[in-house]
Short mmCIF file of all heavy atoms in Angstrom, two decimals:
data_model
loop_
_atom_site.label_atom_id
_atom_site.label_comp_id
_atom_site.label_asym_id
_atom_site.label_seq_id
_atom_site.Cartn_x
_atom_site.Cartn_y
_atom_site.Cartn_z
N PRO A 297 0.86 -1.21 -0.05
CA PRO A 297 -0.03 0.03 0.05
C PRO A 297 0.75 1.32 0.03
O PRO A 297 0.41 2.26 -0.28
CB PRO A 297 -0.75 -0.10 1.26
CG PRO A 297 -0.84 -1.61 1.65
CD PRO A 297 0.43 -2.13 1.15
N ARG A 298 2.11 1.15 0.28
CA ARG A 298 3.00 2.39 0.28
C ARG A 298 3.23 2.89 -1.07
O ARG A 298 3.52 3.92 -1.31
CB ARG A 298 4.41 2.00 0.91
CG ARG A 298 4.32 1.79 2.41
CD ARG A 298 5.80 1.67 2.94
NE ARG A 298 5.74 1.24 4.29
CZ ARG A 298 5.33 2.07 5.35
NH1 ARG A 298 5.00 3.22 5.17
NH2 ARG A 298 5.41 1.58 6.60
N SER A 299 3.11 1.99 -2.06
CA SER A 299 3.26 2.35 -3.56
C SER A 299 2.02 2.97 -4.03
O SER A 299 1.01 2.23 -4.05
CB SER A 299 3.88 1.20 -4.38
OG SER A 299 3.87 1.45 -5.66
N VAL A 300 2.01 4.19 -4.45
CA VAL A 300 0.85 4.92 -5.01
C VAL A 300 1.12 5.52 -6.28
O VAL A 300 2.34 5.73 -6.58
CB VAL A 300 0.19 5.82 -4.01
CG1 VAL A 300 -0.17 5.19 -2.64
CG2 VAL A 300 1.26 6.96 -3.67
N PRO A 301 0.15 5.76 -7.17
CA PRO A 301 0.48 6.54 -8.38
C PRO A 301 1.23 7.87 -8.24
O PRO A 301 2.10 8.10 -9.20
CB PRO A 301 -0.93 6.81 -8.99
CG PRO A 301 -1.81 5.59 -8.36
CD PRO A 301 -1.31 5.49 -7.11
N ALA A 302 0.91 8.64 -7.15
CA ALA A 302 1.66 9.84 -7.03
C ALA A 302 3.07 9.74 -6.87
O ALA A 302 3.83 10.54 -7.41
CB ALA A 302 1.13 10.68 -5.83
N THR A 303 3.55 8.62 -6.23
CA THR A 303 5.01 8.48 -6.07
C THR A 303 5.66 7.87 -7.31
O THR A 303 6.61 8.25 -7.77
CB THR A 303 5.27 7.41 -4.90
OG1 THR A 303 4.49 6.23 -5.05
CG2 THR A 303 4.88 8.07 -3.56
N TYR A 304 4.83 7.04 -8.07
CA TYR A 304 5.36 6.43 -9.23
C TYR A 304 5.59 7.41 -10.42
O TYR A 304 6.65 7.26 -11.03
CB TYR A 304 4.40 5.30 -9.73
CG TYR A 304 5.11 4.33 -10.69
CD1 TYR A 304 5.79 3.23 -10.20
CD2 TYR A 304 5.05 4.59 -12.02
CE1 TYR A 304 6.40 2.46 -11.19
CE2 TYR A 304 5.72 3.69 -12.98
CZ TYR A 304 6.41 2.64 -12.52
OH TYR A 304 7.07 1.87 -13.46
N VAL A 305 4.66 8.34 -10.62
CA VAL A 305 4.95 9.28 -11.72
C VAL A 305 5.77 10.58 -11.25
O VAL A 305 5.94 11.44 -11.94
CB VAL A 305 3.49 9.82 -12.18
CG1 VAL A 305 2.82 8.58 -12.79
CG2 VAL A 305 2.76 10.43 -11.20
N GLY A 306 6.13 10.54 -9.90
CA GLY A 306 7.12 11.50 -9.44
C GLY A 306 6.51 12.79 -9.14
O GLY A 306 7.21 13.87 -9.13
N ILE A 307 5.38 12.84 -8.66
CA ILE A 307 4.70 14.09 -8.27
C ILE A 307 4.67 14.32 -6.72
O ILE A 307 4.29 15.34 -6.15
CB ILE A 307 3.31 14.40 -8.83
CG1 ILE A 307 2.36 13.37 -8.41
CG2 ILE A 307 3.50 14.43 -10.41
CD1 ILE A 307 0.91 13.61 -8.88
N MET A 308 4.87 13.23 -5.96
CA MET A 308 4.74 13.25 -4.48
C MET A 308 5.70 14.19 -3.87
O MET A 308 5.33 15.03 -2.95
CB MET A 308 4.93 11.91 -3.80
CG MET A 308 4.47 11.76 -2.38
SD MET A 308 2.70 12.00 -2.25
CE MET A 308 2.65 12.38 -0.58
N ASP A 309 6.92 14.29 -4.43
CA ASP A 309 7.96 15.30 -3.79
C ASP A 309 7.53 16.72 -4.00
O ASP A 309 7.54 17.47 -3.01
CB ASP A 309 9.30 15.04 -4.42
CG ASP A 309 9.93 13.79 -3.85
OD1 ASP A 309 9.58 13.23 -2.90
OD2 ASP A 309 10.94 13.39 -4.56
N THR A 310 6.93 17.05 -5.14
CA THR A 310 6.43 18.35 -5.36
C THR A 310 5.26 18.66 -4.45
O THR A 310 5.22 19.76 -3.88
CB THR A 310 6.01 18.46 -6.83
OG1 THR A 310 7.09 18.03 -7.77
CG2 THR A 310 5.71 20.06 -7.14
N ILE A 311 4.36 17.79 -4.29
CA ILE A 311 3.18 18.01 -3.44
C ILE A 311 3.68 18.24 -2.03
O ILE A 311 3.17 19.19 -1.29
CB ILE A 311 2.18 16.76 -3.48
CG1 ILE A 311 1.51 16.73 -4.83
CG2 ILE A 311 1.17 16.83 -2.45
CD1 ILE A 311 0.74 15.52 -5.08
N ARG A 312 4.64 17.48 -1.58
CA ARG A 312 5.15 17.65 -0.10
C ARG A 312 5.81 19.02 0.05
O ARG A 312 5.65 19.60 1.09
CB ARG A 312 6.13 16.53 0.18
CG ARG A 312 5.36 15.13 0.35
CD ARG A 312 6.27 14.10 1.02
NE ARG A 312 7.42 13.60 0.12
CZ ARG A 312 8.56 13.89 0.42
NH1 ARG A 312 8.95 14.60 1.43
NH2 ARG A 312 9.64 13.53 -0.42
N HIS A 313 6.55 19.51 -1.02
CA HIS A 313 7.20 20.76 -0.95
C HIS A 313 6.13 21.95 -0.86
O HIS A 313 6.37 22.90 -0.25
CB HIS A 313 8.15 20.90 -2.06
CG HIS A 313 9.38 20.27 -1.84
ND1 HIS A 313 9.89 19.14 -2.33
CD2 HIS A 313 10.52 20.60 -0.96
CE1 HIS A 313 10.98 18.71 -2.04
NE2 HIS A 313 11.55 19.66 -1.13
N ILE A 314 5.03 21.79 -1.74
CA ILE A 314 4.06 22.72 -1.60
C ILE A 314 3.34 22.93 -0.19
O ILE A 314 3.22 23.98 0.22
CB ILE A 314 2.86 22.39 -2.70
CG1 ILE A 314 3.38 22.52 -4.08
CG2 ILE A 314 1.58 23.25 -2.45
CD1 ILE A 314 2.44 21.89 -5.14
N PHE A 315 3.14 21.74 0.47
CA PHE A 315 2.60 21.79 1.81
C PHE A 315 3.63 22.35 2.72
O PHE A 315 3.22 23.15 3.67
CB PHE A 315 2.27 20.40 2.22
CG PHE A 315 0.72 20.02 1.87
CD1 PHE A 315 0.58 19.45 0.71
CD2 PHE A 315 -0.20 20.37 2.85
CE1 PHE A 315 -0.81 19.14 0.36
CE2 PHE A 315 -1.53 20.10 2.51
CZ PHE A 315 -1.88 19.45 1.25
N SER A 316 4.87 22.03 2.54
CA SER A 316 5.93 22.68 3.44
C SER A 316 6.13 24.17 3.31
O SER A 316 6.65 24.78 4.36
CB SER A 316 7.31 22.01 3.18
OG SER A 316 7.81 22.31 1.98
N ARG A 317 5.66 24.77 2.22
CA ARG A 317 5.74 26.17 2.03
C ARG A 317 4.47 26.91 2.39
O ARG A 317 4.44 28.15 2.36
CB ARG A 317 6.06 26.51 0.60
CG ARG A 317 7.46 26.00 0.19
CD ARG A 317 7.93 26.75 -1.04
NE ARG A 317 7.14 26.39 -2.15
CZ ARG A 317 7.38 25.47 -3.15
NH1 ARG A 317 8.49 24.74 -2.90
NH2 ARG A 317 6.64 25.25 -4.19
N THR A 318 3.43 26.22 2.97
CA THR A 318 2.30 26.89 3.47
C THR A 318 2.52 27.73 4.65
O THR A 318 3.46 27.27 5.49
CB THR A 318 1.08 25.94 3.74
OG1 THR A 318 1.51 25.00 4.71
CG2 THR A 318 0.66 25.23 2.32
N PRO A 319 1.89 28.76 4.97
CA PRO A 319 2.08 29.67 6.17
C PRO A 319 2.03 28.80 7.54
O PRO A 319 2.86 28.91 8.46
CB PRO A 319 1.01 30.60 6.17
CG PRO A 319 0.67 30.81 4.71
CD PRO A 319 0.85 29.50 4.06
N GLU A 320 1.05 27.83 7.55
CA GLU A 320 0.84 26.97 8.69
C GLU A 320 2.04 26.13 9.06
O GLU A 320 2.59 25.94 10.07
CB GLU A 320 -0.47 26.15 8.59
CG GLU A 320 -0.65 25.25 9.72
CD GLU A 320 -1.30 25.95 11.04
OE1 GLU A 320 -1.56 27.19 10.87
OE2 GLU A 320 -1.19 25.43 12.12
N ALA A 321 2.59 25.48 7.84
CA ALA A 321 3.78 24.55 8.03
C ALA A 321 4.92 25.35 8.33
O ALA A 321 5.78 24.88 9.29
CB ALA A 321 4.00 23.81 6.67
N ARG A 322 5.14 26.55 7.84
CA ARG A 322 6.39 27.23 8.13
C ARG A 322 6.35 27.81 9.61
O ARG A 322 7.41 27.84 10.30
CB ARG A 322 6.44 28.53 7.19
CG ARG A 322 6.68 28.03 5.78
CD ARG A 322 6.67 29.13 4.76
NE ARG A 322 7.67 30.04 4.77
CZ ARG A 322 7.82 31.18 3.91
NH1 ARG A 322 6.88 31.45 2.99
NH2 ARG A 322 8.84 31.98 4.12
N ALA A 323 5.15 28.23 10.15
CA ALA A 323 5.04 28.56 11.51
C ALA A 323 5.31 27.45 12.53
O ALA A 323 5.95 27.69 13.52
CB ALA A 323 3.56 29.06 11.79
N ARG A 324 4.99 26.21 11.99
CA ARG A 324 5.25 25.09 12.91
C ARG A 324 6.74 24.48 12.69
O ARG A 324 7.03 23.54 13.39
CB ARG A 324 4.26 23.93 12.60
CG ARG A 324 2.83 24.39 13.09
CD ARG A 324 1.82 23.18 12.61
NE ARG A 324 0.43 23.46 12.99
CZ ARG A 324 -0.26 22.71 13.60
NH1 ARG A 324 0.08 21.45 14.00
NH2 ARG A 324 -1.59 23.07 13.91
N GLY A 325 7.43 24.94 11.65
CA GLY A 325 8.75 24.41 11.49
C GLY A 325 8.70 23.14 10.63
O GLY A 325 9.73 22.36 10.74
N TYR A 326 7.69 22.79 9.92
CA TYR A 326 7.55 21.50 9.18
C TYR A 326 8.39 21.59 7.96
O TYR A 326 8.16 22.48 7.10
CB TYR A 326 6.14 21.15 8.97
CG TYR A 326 5.22 20.86 10.24
CD1 TYR A 326 3.82 20.77 10.04
CD2 TYR A 326 5.92 20.58 11.34
CE1 TYR A 326 3.11 20.41 11.09
CE2 TYR A 326 5.09 20.16 12.45
CZ TYR A 326 3.75 20.12 12.37
OH TYR A 326 2.92 19.84 13.47
#
């Protein structure tokens, strides 16, 4: 179950970086 379409086509890293740049994530240091 760890293998998903998002990781296989290589977009998961980009999605994670988008979330890390949100104001809430930056305030929490994520």
